[in-house]
Amino acid sequence: MTRKGGNHAAYLPSFQVHDTFEFSPQYNAYSLIIELVLPIDFIIVQSRIPAKLVEVERNASVVCQQAQSEYNPWSLLASYRCQANVSRIELRVKVDEGTYGPVVVYICPKIHPKTVQIRSYEVKPLSSHTRVHTFDNARPHNTLSFAGSFSLAEAHSWMSLILPGIPSKPPSTDSITVNYQSTSDAPTQLQTTYSKGSISFRSDSVSTIAIIREIISEETTNRQIKVQISCGTWFLRRDHKFLLYELRHNFVKSPCHLNDESIVHCLKSMHPRMTHLLNLERRKLMAAALKELEANSNDISFLSEENRKILENHDQIFQDAEKDSIEDSNISGIYEALLLNRARLNGQNARGKVEALRDLLLNNYSLENVIAFFKSANDETFLRY
């Protein structure tokens, strides 16, 4: 490369980037590791999908996040300015199930002239699902099937769009069956079987079925492929544009009968995790109150043995609560998605019940109460369109 109007050559330095972008069940988030031979100057992360950056303790960098506004159209926009001699950095990106799209990263090392490499990483809609070899048929399941004039390769490409761990090319067989297990706070499962002109899904999660239905319906609409959709015992056949309009506006006129037992099953599977998180929060509040009592009282001998232990373990309780809280785990979002997706597939609108559900989870949670709440929300006829 030569400078304009001169005879001297200018060289653009190049550098190699070693990176991995994988979903981590341990943190329930994507882990992005970037490593260079050169020291890293700064990294910029941007995405239009609603994502949250999770703090990594061992990162030697200063993080600056920019909130979305009329001047910033990006849902996620942040910069990492690294300290001296840092050549490796880890970022964690947390997204809700069903969210998908690219996360773009700009990587700039400490070289002159300044050079940036741009990398794009794809977030899958069912990112928390990992491939397994078994499938529990004893669980209550919801079913979703597509039939139409599509090839095995097209069906395989849809699987690759939705799920992680799908190879780029389909196996040389007439029919393919794969099993997945969710590693989120709702440990559900998914089985898909696809072949030329046919693809079916079974899952104990209504939310998983709703996500798959929306994405494949949009893909078939964009490619002008006629498909027939059957969900449970109901059979749907619609004009593509109208179907896509309904899906995007959470509006389905024909009800889709699902297995109500799967709702109770999901609520029961999340119960131990929810109970654990609520107990952590209660212990944190109790520890804070006891610490304040200790600071304002000369005599705390009247405390019970249990409360004394809580006071003694004050610091550890706060550390545990900060590492594993209801807000960070987004378990409330899983409950809300279950409520909204079940209603949407049944031709209902449950948005008016979300606040009541949040209040129940935080202030009056019990397995019996939440099961009764979901049952009453499903029975209320005014929720129907």
Side-chain angles (χ1 to χ4, degrees):
M1 184 174 70
T2 59
R3 295 180 181 176
K4 183 178 180 181
N7 297 321
H8 298 286
Y11 296 96
L12 189 66
S14 62
F15 58 94
Q16 190 172 7
V17 177
H18 301 278
D19 56 349
T20 59
F21 185 71
E22 296 177 345
F23 187 83
S24 171
Q26 179 182 358
Y27 303 107
N28 195 27
Y30 276 95
S31 175
L32 171 60
I33 298 176
I34 297 173
E35 189 169 3
L36 309 181
V37 176
L38 302 167
I40 301 173
D41 189 5
F42 65 85
I43 290 175
I44 296 176
V45 184
Q46 68 178 26
S47 181
R48 294 192 182 277
I49 65 174
K52 177 184 177 183
L53 290 174
V54 182
E55 183 180 355
V56 180
E57 294 179 357
R58 58 180 177 272
N59 272 355
S61 60
V62 178
V63 185
C64 178
Q65 295 195 52
Q66 183 68 39
Q68 188 175 19
S69 65
E70 58 178 322
Y71 305 105
N72 171 34
W74 303 96
S75 298
L76 172 63
L77 181 61
S79 64
Y80 289 75
R81 184 164 292 278
C82 299
Q83 298 179 11
N85 300 322
V86 173
S87 59
R88 185 183 185 276
I89 187 171
E90 180 181 0
L91 287 66
R92 293 186 191 137
V93 182
K94 180 171 286 191
V95 296
D96 294 336
E97 195 86 324
T99 301
Y100 62 100
V103 174
V104 181
V105 178
Y106 300 81
I107 307 165
C108 180
K110 292 183 178 179
I111 55 176
H112 295 282
K114 287 295 183 185
T115 305
V116 171
Q117 279 199 32
I118 304 175
R119 295 295 177 99
S120 181
Y121 307 95
E122 201 67 28
V123 172
K124 303 286 186 178
L126 298 180
S127 53
S128 68
H129 285 67
T130 183
R131 196 162 178 174
V132 295
H133 299 290
T134 59
F135 187 80
D136 185 5
N137 288 295
R139 297 185 186 184
H141 291 109
N142 307 284
T143 60
L144 173 66
S145 300
F146 294 84
S149 56
F150 52 85
S151 65
L152 175 64
E154 286 175 317
H156 186 80
S157 69
W158 299 336
M159 293 299 96
S160 178
L161 176 66
I162 296 171
L163 290 159
I166 299 291
S168 57
K169 294 183 179 180
S172 56
T173 57
D174 294 334
S175 179
I176 303 167
T177 299
V178 289
N179 301 319
Y180 278 84
Q181 179 80 31
S182 174
T183 58
S184 67
D185 291 329
T188 57
Q189 61 180 4
L190 169 68
Q191 183 181 75
T192 174
T193 301
Y194 57 99
S195 58
K196 180 181 179 181
S198 175
I199 181 169
S200 63
F201 301 90
R202 288 200 301 158
S203 176
D204 48 348
S205 170
V206 169
S207 294
T208 299
I209 292 294
I211 291 168
I212 294 171
R213 176 178 165 175
E214 181 170 356
I215 293 172
I216 294 185
S217 296
E218 185 168 354
E219 284 294 305
T220 55
T221 300
N222 293 337
R223 300 187 186 189
Q224 297 296 310
I225 300 174
K226 293 183 178 181
V227 295
Q228 297 170 336
I229 308 173
S230 62
C231 185
T233 58
W234 283 78
F235 190 80
L236 309 178
R237 184 175 183 175
R238 290 196 181 88
D239 174 77
H240 291 91
K241 292 183 179 179
F242 183 58
L243 175 60
L244 182 59
Y245 175 86
E246 289 178 330
L247 290 169
R248 283 179 173 170
H249 291 76
N250 299 333
F251 179 76
V252 180
K253 285 185 177 179
S254 298
C256 178
H257 281 205
L258 303 168
N259 191 339
D260 287 335
E261 292 182 5
S262 69
I263 301 294
V264 177
H265 165 77
C266 285
L267 296 176
K268 288 181 178 179
S269 67
M270 290 189 289
H271 174 64
R273 175 66 173 159
M274 188 65 182
T275 302
H276 170 72
L277 292 172
L278 288 173
N279 286 338
L280 279 180
E281 185 66 22
R282 292 190 185 104
R283 284 172 60 84
K284 176 184 174 181
L285 294 175
M286 179 63 74
L290 291 173
K291 196 69 173 179
E292 183 177 355
L293 177 64
E294 182 186 39
N296 294 284
S297 177
N298 295 325
D299 182 18
I300 56 172
S301 59
F302 58 88
L303 292 178
S304 65
E305 186 66 25
E306 180 182 359
N307 287 337
R308 287 179 184 176
K309 288 183 178 180
I310 293 176
L311 182 58
E312 291 174 2
N313 298 325
H314 172 274
D315 294 342
Q316 185 62 46
I317 290 173
F318 264 72
Q319 290 178 11
D320 293 342
E322 288 177 0
K323 291 179 181 178
D324 198 11
S325 65
I326 292 179
E327 293 79 9
D328 291 339
S329 70
N330 194 36
I331 192 170
S332 297
I334 299 177
Y335 280 99
E336 292 171 20
L338 190 64
L339 176 71
L340 295 174
N341 287 320
R342 192 269 303 272
R344 180 174 56 169
L345 291 175
N346 278 336
Q348 299 174 329
N349 183 359
R351 293 190 180 277
K353 306 291 290 184
V354 170
E355 286 299 326
L357 176 60
R358 291 174 182 170
D359 181 69
L360 172 66
L361 294 175
L362 295 177
N363 300 315
N364 193 27
Y365 175 81
S366 71
L367 180 59
E368 294 75 16
N369 286 347
V370 76
I371 290 176
F373 179 90
F374 271 78
K375 186 178 185 304
S376 65
N378 190 48
D379 293 341
E380 291 176 1
T381 56
F382 73 85
L383 291 175
R384 297 187 181 276
Y385 287 99

